[in-house]
């Protein structure tokens, strides 16, 4: 007996595109992502202004920030954003580079696909090339030690060149290297020990390194002490008030006595809270939630310094810095869980008051206080500082650095081509394309600086062919020079991570020949449209 019913594999609302269409569509979307960040690459790259649906504005040059703010939805494009995110978390810099290499690898793969080369051959060739590129990279990178402070500062400066921070990069590079050296613990560097805080007013150049924690909070009451020595800090993540606004309580009161009773009860409860804090010997309270007026009054009377609505992440930093523990209940509060610091004080910064916690139990705790005229400026400075911090830390972690300005990319490409010659199959073509994808970095650096990319590439290649492996594009002079001497230096890890994630995502996208998307997955976009939303 035969069954005439059609075979239903998937519900109707599932979108499916297959084969070449799927592949081309994914490649196109991924390339579009690379295209977006391309113009920001390098010291002469431009900035982007991103406007959120609520009208908030971000002006930035930072690859990962741009892509995150864009709310990209295409699945393959999202994979590219992941590349930037990985780069950011692993190194903290080089996000544009990583995304651009990935985009170019895919663009070049398309050429091979057009020439009827099978995707598996391309991915095989790309893998061979990526492995070889890592080996070459290791061979030509240079060693540094923590004592090479000048070089570390140059690395920080290279990462800030062309960013909002450029004007003060000398000073910032000193702050960065000093901060990183201070947080060193047995050869390890935990950037969580550095808190970045912003104070509006004064110039960017007044940005400073402060040992201890700086908190963008004033004390809740004028009657509290301005400065406290021998600080014993209670860190609490619940409100010091009674009414929980989330719970509507109804009370029925029929006489004035009842009302008075009720108010008395409330006062009693608050008094009890403050007494518990006093009993724990705390003289400072950092509270994640609100503090009731009456509680403020009582705390001030007890000579306690208190801040309210301290961000959870800040509480965590303070806990780490002062050796305290965040408590969720007053019964947990005792002398053991209090954080210790030599001084807690309120300091006026421009128009605002801030709280400084100095002489923390953990001397590794540092703050960088960014000054600047507007939020947007300070945010971009923060991103540049984070790039610099990430670069210096990763240079120290691996002890390896490379010449920038495209020098390293050209040298790897040159040696990859030689390696390609030793291969017999069609993978050779893929290795070639891999090499040319790397050359896209100096090409774009030149293009963004208004130079002729073909001239630049030709000269760079011939200089490298004649053995000048540190020849790169110096965008201070707009000349091809020995960039090592020009001190344009970058951490090895930027490049190794970028090559690694870029080739991974490119091969992953190339292997896909079927996209099955269900509507429920929140995919308002059809898989067939290469629309990158958010930036119409
Ligand atoms: P990314 O997000 O990839 O870090 P950037 O916009 O920070 O992108 O640009 C980094 C690139 O700029 C690197 O290739 C680096 O070598 C190059 N670069 C930095 N300073 C200079 C300079 N003075 N001359 C030429 N290239 C530079
Ligand atoms: Mg950078």
């Amino acid at each position: 007996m035969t069954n005439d019913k059609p075979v239903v594999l998937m519900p109707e609302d599932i979108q499916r595109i297959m084969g070449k269409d799927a592949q081309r569509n994914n490649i196109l979307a991924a390339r579009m992502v690379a295209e977006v960040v391309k113009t920001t690459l390098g010291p002469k790259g431009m900035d982007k202004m991103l406007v959120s649906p609520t009208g908030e504005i971000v002006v930035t040059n930072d690859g990962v920030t741009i892509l995150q703010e864009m709310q990209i939805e295409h699945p393959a494009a999202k994979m590219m954003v992941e590349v930037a995110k990985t780069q950011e978390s692993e190194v903290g810099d080089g996000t544009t580079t990583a995304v651009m290499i990935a985009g170019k690898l895919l663009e070049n793969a398309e050429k091979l696909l057009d020439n009827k080369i099978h995707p598996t051959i391309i991915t095989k060739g790309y893998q061979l090339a990526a492995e070889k590129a890592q080996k070459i990279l290791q061979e030509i990178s240079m060693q540094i030690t923590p004592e090479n402070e000048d070089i570390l500062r140059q690395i920080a400066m290279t990462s800030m060149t062309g960013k909002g921070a450029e004007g003060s990069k000398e000073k910032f590079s000193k702050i960065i290297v000093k901060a990183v050296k201070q947080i060193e613990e047995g050869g390890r560097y935990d950037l969580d020990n550095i808190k970045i805080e912003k104070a509006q007013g004064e110039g960017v150049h007044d940005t400073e390194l402060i040992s201890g924690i700086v908190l963008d909070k004033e004390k809740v009451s004028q009657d509290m002490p301005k400065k406290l020595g021998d600080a014993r800090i209670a860190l609490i993540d619940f409100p010091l008030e009674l009414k929980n606004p989330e719970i509507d309580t109804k009370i029925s009161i029929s006489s004035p006595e009842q009302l008075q009773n009720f108010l008395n009860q409330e006062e009693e409860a608050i008094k009890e809270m403050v007494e518990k804090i006093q009993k724990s010997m705390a003289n400072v309270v950092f509270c994640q939630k609100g503090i009731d007026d009456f509680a403020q009054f009582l705390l001030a009377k007890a000579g306690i310094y208190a801040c309210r609505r301290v961000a959870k992440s800040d509480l965590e930093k303070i806990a780490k810095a002062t050796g305290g523990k965040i408590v969720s209940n007053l019964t947990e509060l005792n002398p053991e869980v209090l954080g210790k610091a030599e001084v807690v004080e309120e300091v006026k910064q421009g128009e605002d008051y801030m709280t400084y916690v100095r002489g923390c139990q953990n001397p590794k705790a540092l703050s960088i206080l960014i000054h600047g005229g507007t939020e947007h400026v300070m945010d971009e400075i923060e991103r540049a500082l984070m790039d610099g911090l990430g670069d210096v830390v990763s240079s120290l972690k691996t002890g390896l650095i490379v010449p920038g300005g495209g020098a390293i990319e050209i040298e790897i490409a040159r040696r990859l081509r030689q390696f390609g010659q030793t291969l017999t199959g069609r993978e050779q073509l893929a290795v070639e394309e891999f090499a040319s994808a790397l050359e896209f970095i100096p090409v774009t650096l030149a293009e963004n600086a208004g130079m002729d990319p073909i001239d630049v590439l030709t000269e760079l290649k011939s200089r490298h062919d004649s053995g000048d492996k540190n020849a790169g594009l110096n965008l201070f002079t707009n000349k091809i020079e020995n960039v090592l001497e020009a001190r344009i230096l970058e951490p090895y890890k930027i490049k190794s991570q970028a090559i690694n994630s870029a080739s991974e995502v490119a091969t992953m996208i190339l292997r896909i020949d079927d996209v099955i998307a269900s509507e429920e997955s929140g995919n308002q976009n059809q898989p067939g449209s290469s629309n990158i939303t958010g930036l119409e």
Side-chain angles (χ1 to χ4, degrees):
M1 198 180 85
T2 57
N3 190 348
D4 288 338
K5 276 192 183 158
V7 180
V8 179
L9 207 54
M10 300 180 297
E12 266 175 24
D13 55 0
I14 287 199
Q15 299 255 3
R16 184 167 185 194
I17 44 172
M18 287 185 282
K20 270 213 179 88
D21 285 344
Q23 211 162 41
R24 296 300 170 118
N25 181 273
N26 283 337
I27 292 178
L28 181 61
R31 281 179 51 193
M32 282 168 75
V33 172
E35 203 60 39
V36 169
V37 292
K38 186 183 153 189
T39 56
T40 69
L41 183 81
K44 301 285 166 73
M46 304 295 278
D47 295 349
K48 289 202 186 286
M49 179 187 266
L50 298 139
V51 186
S52 79
T54 54
E56 277 168 54
I57 294 169
V58 177
V59 177
T60 186
N61 181 287
D62 190 50
V64 70
T65 308
I66 296 168
L67 297 178
Q68 271 172 338
E69 295 282 329
M70 277 174 61
Q71 301 169 22
I72 285 171
E73 283 188 354
H74 189 288
K78 271 186 169 166
M79 289 166 70
M80 296 282 280
V81 180
E82 286 304 314
V83 170
K85 286 193 194 160
T86 311
Q87 185 80 19
E88 179 75 0
S89 64
E90 292 291 314
V91 194
D93 192 12
T95 53
T96 314
T97 303
V99 169
M100 277 178 55
I101 296 176
K104 201 65 181 175
L105 283 174
L106 286 165
E107 186 181 333
N108 293 357
E110 222 173 6
K111 278 193 261 167
L112 299 173
L113 291 171
D114 288 342
N115 288 328
K116 304 261 177 321
I117 296 179
H118 196 270
T120 53
I121 303 214
I122 306 175
T123 53
K124 175 87 193 302
Y126 275 7
Q127 270 165 357
L128 284 172
E131 278 167 32
K132 184 74 187 170
Q134 294 291 359
K135 284 199 190 112
I136 301 170
L137 181 58
Q138 281 190 353
E139 275 165 32
I140 48 187
S141 45
M142 294 156 292
Q143 293 192 330
I144 55 154
T145 67
E147 281 69 52
N148 299 131
E149 279 193 23
D150 267 358
I151 295 186
L152 291 172
R153 284 188 39 218
Q154 298 290 345
I155 288 167
M157 281 199 260
T158 300
S159 76
M160 287 184 285
T161 310
K163 316 256 166 199
E166 166 143 28
S168 305
K169 68 177 177 178
E170 296 263 346
K171 175 162 187 193
F172 290 164
S173 70
K174 279 186 201 152
I175 291 180
I176 288 170
V177 173
K178 196 166 166 204
V180 168
K181 292 202 104 174
Q182 274 186 34
I183 58 166
E184 191 260 354
E185 250 173 324
R188 293 173 43 149
Y189 305 86
D190 183 0
L191 282 179
D192 278 345
N193 280 323
I194 302 178
K195 178 167 173 348
I196 297 201
E197 196 53 80
K198 291 164 238 169
Q200 200 160 339
E202 301 184 76
V204 168
H205 195 73
D206 297 304
T207 295
E208 56 196 317
L209 182 66
I210 292 162
S211 49
I213 297 281
V214 176
L215 200 59
D216 179 19
K217 289 283 163 198
E218 56 187 349
K219 54 187 163 68
V220 283
S221 153
Q222 280 308 315
D223 300 326
M224 290 177 173
K226 234 184 145 35
K227 184 172 178 176
L228 268 177
D230 182 23
R232 297 175 301 274
I233 306 163
L235 302 160
I236 61 182
D237 68 359
F238 54 91
L240 287 182
E241 48 199 20
L242 281 185
K243 279 159 273 147
N244 187 341
E246 279 135 51
I247 305 171
D248 253 331
T249 36
K250 268 209 189 105
I251 42 163
S252 40
I253 288 167
S254 48
S255 70
E257 290 77 32
Q258 265 180 337
L259 179 65
Q260 194 54 47
N261 253 344
F262 174 73
L263 292 177
N264 286 349
Q265 268 175 18
E266 280 216 318
E267 282 195 357
E268 273 313 308
I270 298 241
K271 262 190 197 154
E272 239 174 77
M273 282 181 161
V274 175
E275 271 162 21
K276 277 187 186 148
I277 291 173
Q278 272 181 291
K279 236 172 92 190
S280 77
M281 301 301 288
N283 56 5
V284 176
V285 173
F286 290 138
C287 176
Q288 195 189 326
K289 301 278 167 58
I291 302 180
D292 178 277
D293 284 349
F294 185 52
Q296 292 182 18
F297 166 76
L298 292 176
L299 287 167
K301 218 170 105 188
I304 294 175
Y305 185 114
C307 296
R308 65 177 163 185
R309 307 212 181 280
V310 177
K312 174 114 191 146
S313 56
D314 286 345
L315 270 193
E316 281 162 2
K317 280 222 160 72
I318 300 170
K320 188 156 184 230
T322 62
K325 238 179 84 183
I326 302 172
V327 297
S328 308
N329 192 313
L330 277 178
T331 53
E332 293 171 38
L333 204 60
N334 63 57
E336 254 97 275
V337 298
L338 300 181
K340 312 271 183 316
E342 278 159 27
V343 182
V344 168
E345 80 177 302
E346 193 183 64
V347 176
K348 190 165 188 213
Q349 284 291 353
E351 292 298 291
D352 302 322
Y353 288 94
M354 300 197 145
T355 295
Y356 281 38
V357 185
R358 289 192 229 255
C360 298
Q361 199 178 52
N362 168 13
K364 305 282 174 209
L366 296 175
S367 298
I368 297 178
L369 185 60
I370 298 175
H371 293 270
T374 72
E375 279 298 320
H376 304 137
V377 168
M378 291 190 290
D379 287 349
E380 185 65 349
I381 300 279
E382 175 175 6
R383 286 187 282 268
L385 283 174
M386 291 307 293
D387 283 0
L389 286 165
D391 282 356
V392 170
V393 166
S394 73
S395 303
L396 286 171
K397 270 189 189 158
T398 60
L400 295 173
I401 58 164
V402 297
I408 189 81
E409 285 86 358
I410 295 286
E411 187 62 20
I412 298 176
R414 188 180 74 83
R415 298 195 195 188
L416 269 184
R417 287 210 165 86
Q418 287 174 350
F419 164 72
Q421 305 286 310
T422 66
L423 301 174
T424 47
R426 294 175 128 195
E427 286 89 5
Q428 199 189 90
L429 299 171
V431 173
E432 283 271 329
E433 294 302 342
F434 196 105
S436 92
L438 295 178
E439 288 165 354
F440 188 49
I441 297 298
V443 163
T444 307
L445 287 173
E447 211 171 287
N448 287 349
M451 298 171 73
D452 186 312
I454 299 182
D455 287 351
V456 168
L457 184 59
T458 318
E459 192 183 340
L460 276 173
K461 278 167 115 172
S462 85
R463 291 275 287 268
H464 280 252
D465 283 341
S466 58
D468 189 358
K469 68 178 194 312
N470 296 319
L473 178 56
N474 179 351
L475 287 174
F476 296 125
T477 58
N478 280 10
K479 290 205 178 79
I480 310 279
E481 285 176 8
N482 182 327
V483 283
L484 210 55
E485 280 163 21
R487 294 296 185 106
I488 301 168
L489 303 169
E490 292 186 276
Y492 151 88
K493 184 79 199 257
I494 284 196
K495 307 298 175 183
S496 71
Q497 184 65 46
I499 291 173
N500 190 10
S501 345
S503 56
E504 255 175 36
V505 77
T507 49
M508 187 179 263
I509 289 177
L510 283 170
R511 282 210 187 97
I512 299 169
D513 77 338
D514 197 351
V515 178
I516 305 160
S518 64
E519 289 292 318
E520 276 84 2
S521 70
N523 226 349
Q524 299 106 324
N525 271 8
Q526 296 179 0
S529 73
S530 303
N531 182 18
I532 300 180
T533 58
L535 250 207
E536 276 95 348

